[in-house]
Amino acid sequence: MVAAMATPSTTSNGTSNGTSNGSQERLSSYNPATGDLLGSVAIFSAADVDAAVARAKIAAETWSTRSFATRANELDAFRHALAAEADKLADILHRENGKPELEALTEVMMSLGHLKHAAGIAEKALATKKVSSGLLANFRATISYHALGVVGVIGPWNFPINTPMGSIAYALAAGNAVVWKPSELTPLIALEIEKIAARTFALPDLLQVVTGAGATGAALAKSAVNKISFTGSAATGKRVMLAAAERLTPVLMELGGKDAMIVTDDADLEKAAEAAVYGGLSNAGQACVAIERVYVSDAIHDRFVEEVVKQVKELKVGGDDGHLGAMTSEAQIHIIRDHLEDAVKKGAKVHTGGPGAISGSYIQPTVLTNVNHEMKIMVEETFGPVIPIQKVKSIDEAIRLANDSKFGLGSSVFAKKSARSIAERMRAGMTSINSVMAFAGIYGLPFGGVGDSGFGRIHGEEGIREFSRVKATAEQSFSLPMNMMSFRQKGDMPKQLRGMIKNLYGDGIISKAGDLLRKIRI
Ligand code: NDP
C-alpha cells in the first residue's frame, strides 16, 4: 500500500476535478489505503488566489448587508444540501483520507452541526450590547459587531471537512465570504463542498476553494483577505503568521497538541481505559486533540494497562468497517516510526504494536509503558495510534508532567473526588472530565489552545466573534455642565478634578461606599 500523496503534475487523467483557473499544473490525489489515483485538481497560483479573494470581496459586500434571518436561511439550505449528499461526502472522505466509513460519517455529521449551530447563534452572539458609561453618564455606550470581509481558511488533512467547517460556518454566519485552501492531501472533498455551496447560496463566490500545495496556502496568507484562520502544525503556522504580517492581516492559529490524560486511583478504571483507547486511537490517532500521553496513579497502573491492552486487542485495523483506517500521510508514518524507535531505544516496554508493526500505510495500535519525558513520544506531537502510559506517585506529579509541554490544546482527567480541581490546574485550552474530546463535540464551547497549540478560538459565541470586527460607540444623549472633552472649561477645573479623584477613587465617601458594596456582593 502507498500512503496518500499529492504531487504536482502537468498531466491529468480523465478523472480530473477542480475549477478551471487557467493553470497548466495539476495536483493528484491518491487513496492512501490502495495507492489508487482518485483525481487531479488545479494548482492555484498567487494570481489565481488573488482573483478568488477579489471575487469573494464582491460577494462579502452584499452578504454582510443581509439580515441574520436571511443568512441563517441560506446556511440552512446549504446544510440540507450537504446532508442529502452525506453518503457521497463520507465516501470521498473515506477514499481520500483513509478513515473508515463510520468515522467519515461521524465527521460529516459533526460538520453539519457547526452549520446549524452557527446559523442559530449568530444573531444573539453578534447583537449590539450596551455597557455602562461610568463617569460619562450622559453617554449611551454600545459594542457592535461587523463582518470582516473575506476570511481565508487554511485546513489540514486529518479532519478535512470538520476542522475547516469549524471556521467556515461561523465566518459565513457572521457575514463574511470565505476562501478555503484545503490540504494538498484532501482537495477533492473540499471541491465537492464548494460545488454544493455554489448551487445553494444565492450569491456566487461566497465560499470558494483554492486547491494546491503549500505555495497556494502561502499566497492566501499574503492576499488581501481580512483574516486568516489556520489549522495545521506550529511550524507552518509560524510561516503563515510571517506571510500575513506583510499586510498586518490578523490570524487565528489552531495548531498541534500533545493532550494529556490523568487517571487517579479513585477513577472508574474501565471507563478511563475505554476513553484512553478511543482518545488515543480514533482517526488512527491523527487528531489534534488525541490523547497522546496518559499519567496513571501507581496504585492502579498495572490494572489500567491490562484493561487498555485488552480493549486495544479487540480492535480491527483496515477494511471498510475497521476501527482504524489507513494513515493519510506518508510523512507522518516516518514521524511515528521515529518516535516509537526512540522510545524503545530509551527503555519503553511495548505491550501491543510497536515500531515493527507498521505495514505500508497501516499502523497497529501501540501501547507503551515505562515511558518518560526524555522520550520524543512524550513531548513531541506523534499524531498516530499510540498510547504511552506513565506511572505517577501523586496527583501533583501527574499535573506537573501534564503541564510539562510546549503544547496546551486539550486534556482529560478521570477522577472522582478531585476531578474539577485537577481540571482547573491543567494548562490547556480545553479539558474533558471523566471523558475524552467531549469539548470538541459541544458546539457552544470555544475550541483552541495555549502555547504552541495556538491562539484565538473557533466554535460557539467566541468563535463567531473571531470573525467579526468589534466597534465601540459612545453617543452623547444630553449635555452636562462639566464637559471633560472640551478646552472651554468653566470654574476652577483642577480643584474640581482633585475633589473627584478623592471622592470617586480615594478615601472619599462615594469611593468607600462603592468598595464596601463590592465586598458585600463578593
Ligand atoms: P500542515 O501545517 O502541514 O498544513 C496545514 C495546512 O497549511 C495545509 O493546508 C497545508 O497545505 C498548508 N500549508 C503548507 N505550507 C504552507 C505555507 N507556507 N503557507 C500557508 N499554508 C501552508 O499541517 P497538516 O495538514 O499536516 O495537519 C496536521 C497538523 O494540524 C497537526 O499538527 C495537527 O495537530 C494540526 N491540527 C490542529 C487542529 C486544531 O484545531 N488545533 C485540528 C487538526 C489538525 P498542504 O497540505 O497542501 O501542504
Side-chain angles (χ1 to χ4, degrees):
M1 304 288 176
V2 182
M5 55 189 166
T7 46
S9 71
T10 47
T11 57
S12 133
N13 71 354
T15 59
S16 70
N17 291 273
T19 50
S20 165
N21 68 341
S23 167
Q24 288 303 303
E25 273 208 308
R26 297 189 71 80
L27 185 79
S28 302
S29 178
Y30 296 89
N31 181 328
T34 62
D36 292 344
L37 180 69
L38 297 174
S40 73
V41 302
I43 294 178
F44 279 66
S45 66
D48 299 329
V49 170
D50 287 343
V53 172
R55 289 194 297 273
K57 287 219 182 260
I58 294 167
E61 269 168 29
T62 308
W63 181 244
S64 64
T65 63
R66 299 274 197 259
S67 68
F68 283 107
T70 304
R71 289 205 291 255
N73 287 343
E74 290 210 28
L75 287 168
D76 287 349
F78 181 40
R79 169 167 54 87
H80 295 158
L82 289 169
E85 306 269 0
D87 280 331
K88 185 176 182 191
L89 293 171
D91 181 56
I92 301 173
L93 204 47
H94 167 57
R95 287 187 294 124
E96 193 175 38
N97 166 281
K99 62 181 70 190
E101 187 193 12
L102 181 65
E103 288 193 332
L105 273 170
T106 307
E107 182 172 348
V108 172
M109 191 178 86
M110 292 284 299
S111 315
L112 298 182
H114 280 305
L115 276 167
K116 183 167 183 165
H117 186 70
I121 64 165
E123 186 158 11
K124 179 170 164 269
L126 302 177
T128 298
K129 291 169 185 52
K130 201 165 169 277
V131 297
S132 161
S133 53
L135 258 190
L136 303 182
N138 56 329
F139 277 80
R140 184 176 182 272
T142 53
I143 302 170
S144 55
Y145 300 90
H146 306 268
L148 295 169
V150 180
V151 174
V153 174
I154 302 177
W157 46 261
N158 61 330
F159 286 96
I161 312 182
N162 188 46
T163 298
M165 200 56 91
S167 292
I168 293 169
Y170 300 87
L172 289 174
N176 305 285
V178 171
V179 178
W180 170 18
K181 150 71 178 87
S183 165
E184 64 187 303
L185 299 180
T186 52
L188 298 183
I189 187 68
L191 288 172
E192 194 60 34
I193 290 172
E194 183 194 45
K195 217 160 46 177
I196 296 171
R199 68 166 198 261
T200 49
F201 288 118
L203 284 165
D205 306 318
L206 195 56
L207 171 57
Q208 294 174 78
V209 170
V210 290
T211 48
T216 304
L220 186 59
K222 278 194 185 136
S223 74
V225 291
N226 302 93
K227 183 154 190 169
I228 285 283
S229 177
F230 173 81
T231 306
S233 60
T236 311
K238 286 176 196 170
R239 286 199 283 276
V240 168
M241 283 181 76
L242 277 172
E246 257 180 48
R247 292 184 194 245
L248 280 177
T249 304
V251 294
L252 186 159
M253 290 279 140
E254 294 294 341
L255 309 177
K258 190 74 193 166
D259 290 10
M261 174 191 267
I262 292 177
V263 187
T264 65
D265 51 14
D266 64 349
D268 182 326
L269 201 131
E270 197 182 331
K271 285 221 168 70
E274 190 181 345
V277 171
Y278 185 79
L281 305 181
S282 62
N283 212 40
Q286 304 164 111
C288 53
V289 289
I291 295 298
E292 292 233 349
R293 50 205 175 108
V294 186
Y295 302 101
V296 185
S297 159
D298 51 2
I300 56 159
H301 173 270
D302 293 355
R303 280 188 294 135
F304 178 81
V305 172
E306 199 180 311
E307 182 61 34
V308 167
V309 171
K310 187 182 105 192
Q311 292 188 28
V312 167
K313 285 187 172 162
E314 291 164 4
L315 302 178
K316 183 181 168 207
V317 178
D320 287 353
D321 61 343
H323 297 97
L324 279 80
M327 305 303 291
T328 314
S329 148
E330 197 167 328
Q332 200 62 41
I333 296 175
H334 296 308
I335 294 172
I336 298 163
R337 180 182 283 114
D338 175 50
H339 285 195
L340 289 173
E341 285 173 353
D342 174 73
V344 169
K345 202 168 69 194
K346 291 175 179 162
K349 180 176 173 194
V350 179
H351 293 259
T352 60
I358 300 175
S359 161
S361 52
Y362 290 96
I363 300 182
Q364 293 299 320
T366 296
V367 179
L368 301 175
T369 56
N370 202 27
V371 290
N372 59 55
H373 281 216
E374 298 300 310
M375 301 172 180
K376 292 180 189 174
I377 205 96
M378 294 302 277
V379 293
E380 291 176 17
E381 188 178 39
T382 306
F383 224 56
V386 185
I387 308 172
I389 304 170
Q390 183 166 356
K391 193 190 284 190
V392 290
K393 290 197 186 71
S394 65
I395 288 175
D396 281 347
E397 185 187 8
I399 294 171
R400 183 179 58 74
L401 287 169
N403 291 346
D404 177 26
S405 174
K406 60 186 176 180
F407 295 107
L409 192 55
S411 56
S412 159
V413 52
F414 273 77
K416 283 203 180 82
K417 283 202 300 281
S418 42
R420 283 200 193 153
S421 71
I422 296 172
E424 286 300 322
R425 291 171 64 194
M426 291 179 90
R427 181 185 160 274
M430 303 162 291
T431 305
S432 283
I433 297 179
N434 292 323
S435 64
V436 278
M437 300 169 163
F439 46 74
I442 299 174
Y443 300 113
L445 284 177
F447 186 101
V450 298
D452 277 13
S453 292
F455 50 83
R457 293 295 181 265
I458 52 174
H459 306 179
E461 294 201 359
E462 279 82 358
I464 207 162
R465 287 194 203 111
E466 284 277 358
F467 300 113
S468 306
R469 177 169 51 83
V470 181
K471 177 149 192 175
T473 305
E475 180 185 353
Q476 185 164 346
S477 309
F478 55 90
S479 300
L480 288 176
M482 184 176 167
N483 183 3
M484 307 279 285
M485 270 82 61
S486 170
F487 290 116
R488 301 170 71 194
Q489 301 295 346
K490 292 184 197 116
D492 186 350
M493 261 309 266
K495 188 177 169 202
Q496 287 182 45
L497 283 178
R498 283 189 191 100
M500 282 172 73
I501 290 169
K502 179 177 159 63
N503 272 320
L504 296 173
Y505 305 118
D507 59 4
I509 184 93
I510 300 172
S511 167
K512 282 185 168 170
D515 295 349
L516 188 66
L517 261 177
R518 196 197 64 238
K519 281 178 194 144
I520 293 168
R521 271 195 230 115
I522 290 168

